[in-house]
Amino acid sequence: MKLNKLVWKRFILIALFFHLPIAAILVGITGAMLPALFWINIPVLWTGIASAMGESHFLIREFGALPQSVLAYVVISGFWLIVSFAISIVSVRLSEKL
């Protein structure tokens, strides 16, 4: 399958959108804590990655998982990049069929 420029453009836009919560936390926006919790907890708690990787990478507390290592953030970011890529490919294919 040949990936055209439209797939890459959509991938970049969708990936940036999915990484906005953690970017807002890093910049210091105070209202971004709840979206950041969703950004962290959707991939690691719903898929079971936090319990599989153990407490050296994730601490599971009252409000969800807390990343403790660089590998934890890489896994979370990788999950959202995979989701972004899948959404961009599906959306381009659906738009080509119309």
Side-chain angles (χ1 to χ4, degrees), residues 10-91:
R10 286 190 187 182
F11 168 69
I12 290 170
L13 289 175
I14 294 169
L16 288 174
F17 176 75
F18 279 142
H19 286 84
L20 276 177
I22 198 65
I25 289 292
L26 293 174
V27 171
I29 298 174
T30 56
M33 190 60 185
L34 186 61
L37 285 173
F38 284 121
W39 184 82
I40 293 168
N41 289 318
I42 287 173
V44 298
L45 291 180
W46 290 4
T47 61
I49 294 172
S51 59
M53 290 181 72
E55 286 192 8
S56 61
H57 298 289
F58 291 101
L59 293 177
I60 299 176
R61 300 287 185 226
E62 295 86 19
F63 292 108
L66 300 171
Q68 298 296 313
S69 67
V70 175
L71 181 61
Y73 284 103
V74 169
V75 167
I76 295 167
S77 184
F79 172 85
W80 289 115
L81 288 175
I82 291 170
V83 170
S84 302
F85 193 68
I87 290 173
S88 64
I89 287 178
V90 168
S91 67

